[in-house]
Amino acid sequence: MILNSESMKPIYVQIAEWLETEILGESIKSDEKVYSQYQLAEMLNINPATAAKGLNILADENILYKKRGLGMFVSAEAKKIIAVKRRNQTLKSLVAELVREAEHLKVTEEELIAMIQEAKRELKGDS
Amino acid sequence: MSVLEFDSVTKAYGRKKALDNLSFSLGENKITGLIGRNGAGKTTMLKIAAGFMKETSGDVRAFGEHPFNNLMVSANMIMIDNDMNMPTALDLEEIMASAADFYHNWDMDLAKKLFDYFSLNPRQTHTGLSKGMKNTFNAILGLASRCPLTIFDEPTNGMDAGVRKDFYRALLKDYIAYPRTIIISSHHLSEVEDILEDILLLKDGQQFLHMPVEELREYAVVVSGKEEAINSWLRGHEVFHKSDQAFGRSYAVIRNDLTDDQIGVAMKSGLEFSTISNEDLCLYLTSQEKGGIDDVFNKG
């Protein structure tokens, strides 16, 4: 993972999102241990308190659970929680931005939908 | 437990107050960044904390004791700065040997490895070192002594970019392995902020801010747009900085206490929001209300 220091997002949010992506992609599976705050701090060259904050966000959302003295583990429902959250937050705000920009450029709803469909076809063609 | 505590501390040099009723308390085993403009009182504060100097009034406690002329505090504390005086009769290896005698946590293995890594010469004398090399050696002393209170005052002055990066990485790794209370003062917040936990911002000898670095990132927000739109919208907001840019546009740094509704209203009137780096924010927060450098050149 590479931190983006120019990003609008605080480092701990970037860490949380990166771990979410790792969990979604099954690089870390349910009931597997995630990196400790100290491992993350060392990997990313950041203060361990910042790393802990990233982990705690995920624990608060029940994506991770704590085992006393052992560290943090991926919960069974983690993938589901992340998918729902991303749909409701990330995707929604991306769509809002898309619509705003389209409005700005006077792109009609039909044109916008056509563009989305084309992008989808391209994505399928690539894979 | 609080490792270092200042309670209403004032230090006067003649009529000038370098510290003016300064109060704060540093928690155990945190890395705190001490930030402030030239003359804000950073070095004065650190020298009083280290017991090198006596405060004019107020109360200072390091490990619960008054640091001035205090052997217990000296044994548990090291302050690394640019004008450390070392005995001229000793070479670098001998200086390290005497540091090992004094500091009981001293790690000679770490000291020697860092010494070799940075290609220092054990037979060299301290006065014979270049500025960058001197500060590199001093930084090694600061790390290897593993003092429960470790203070670095502008540690990377004169170091080249590679050595700076290596030093901060070494500091973080050793801190993770051996947590301790560390204060780093720096003019370059951007190069050190990632490894900090807290930030202490001084202005005119007083505490201006003391908070986790991650909270500082969310403390302020930049709003920009057409001058009239900004001016009317800004009323009722806490403005830290405002400047007019080209093409009738303005830019303002304000307190980030906005509700979603307020942001919505602003965006509808064409205002844009962005974040600000901690380094720039600290500059704005601590600038004098005399206008910017541009005003010096404005013929009025």
Side-chain angles (χ1 to χ4, degrees), chain B residues 50-64:
Chain B
F52 297 172
M53 237 166 34
K54 226 170 154 175
E55 67 281 4
T56 309
S57 64
D59 190 29
V60 181
R61 297 278 142 189
F63 311 104

Side-chain angles (χ1 to χ4, degrees), chain A residues 3-15 45-46 50 53, chain B residues 189-199 201 209-222 240 253-257 274-282 285:
Chain A
L3 289 172
N4 180 1
S5 52
E6 302 293 307
S7 167
M8 304 257 298
K9 284 178 188 153
I11 290 172
Y12 66 91
V13 175
Q14 292 186 46
I15 292 170
N45 216 27
I46 54 168
T50 309
K53 211 169 162 187
Chain B
L189 181 55
S190 58
E191 72 176 21
V192 66
E193 66 175 314
D194 285 354
I195 68 164
L196 301 179
E197 179 164 351
D198 284 353
I199 199 158
L201 183 61
L209 275 182
H210 188 193
M211 58 166 64
V213 179
E214 287 297 334
E215 270 171 41
L216 182 65
R217 240 175 202 274
E218 291 161 34
Y219 185 74
V221 65
V222 174
F240 299 130
V253 181
I254 61 168
R255 180 73 168 263
N256 185 13
D257 51 6
S274 52
T275 51
I276 179 169
S277 73
N278 282 340
E279 177 144 29
D280 287 345
L281 176 60
C282 286
L285 290 176

Side-chain angles (χ1 to χ4, degrees), chain B residues 41-235:
Chain B
K42 301 188 298 284
T43 300
T44 301
M45 180 217 120
L46 294 177
K47 284 192 169 160
I48 290 174
F52 297 172
M53 237 166 34
K54 226 170 154 175
E55 67 281 4
T56 309
S57 64
D59 190 29
V60 181
R61 297 278 142 189
F63 311 104
E65 295 194 16
H66 190 240
F68 190 71
N69 266 346
N70 187 316
L71 192 59
M72 188 283 272
V73 173
S74 296
N76 286 290
M77 183 294 307
I78 190 165
M79 175 162 166
I80 303 300
D81 64 15
N82 294 303
D83 34 47
M84 288 175 83
N85 282 316
M86 298 292 174
T88 44
L90 301 182
D91 63 26
L92 298 182
E93 192 169 44
E94 290 163 334
I95 293 173
M96 291 205 289
S98 37
D101 284 340
F102 188 71
Y103 292 111
H104 72 274
N105 290 341
W106 178 268
D107 185 334
M108 190 56 100
D109 186 48
L110 174 71
K112 289 214 159 122
K113 280 185 182 155
L114 288 170
F115 197 87
D116 290 342
Y117 177 82
F118 290 114
S119 315
L120 288 153
N121 171 5
R123 296 277 88 79
Q124 174 81 269
T125 61
H126 196 257
T127 44
L129 293 169
S130 73
K131 189 178 174 193
M133 283 299 217
K134 201 179 269 179
N135 280 336
T136 306
F137 177 75
N138 295 349
I140 293 174
L141 289 182
L143 287 177
S145 60
R146 292 220 175 104
C147 287
L149 176 58
T150 302
I151 298 173
F152 292 102
D153 189 13
E154 297 286 344
T156 57
N157 276 2
M159 290 181 185
D160 65 41
V163 175
R164 282 166 187 238
K165 251 185 121 171
D166 284 341
F167 163 65
Y168 284 126
R169 176 101 182 125
L171 176 69
L172 178 69
K173 285 181 88 105
D174 204 59
Y175 166 76
I176 290 172
Y178 301 92
R180 51 205 193 260
T181 306
I182 298 174
I183 308 175
I184 310 170
S185 87
S186 174
H187 283 298
H188 307 279
L189 181 55
S190 58
E191 72 176 21
V192 66
E193 66 175 314
D194 285 354
I195 68 164
L196 301 179
E197 179 164 351
D198 284 353
I199 199 158
L200 176 59
L201 183 61
L202 295 190
K203 182 182 182 181
D204 302 329
Q206 294 178 328
Q207 182 203 306
F208 193 80
L209 275 182
H210 188 193
M211 58 166 64
V213 179
E214 287 297 334
E215 270 171 41
L216 182 65
R217 240 175 202 274
E218 291 161 34
Y219 185 74
V221 65
V222 174
V223 53
S224 60
K226 289 218 178 69
E227 214 175 314
E228 318 87 74
I230 293 254
N231 286 341
S232 63
W233 187 81
L234 277 183
R235 250 169 258 136

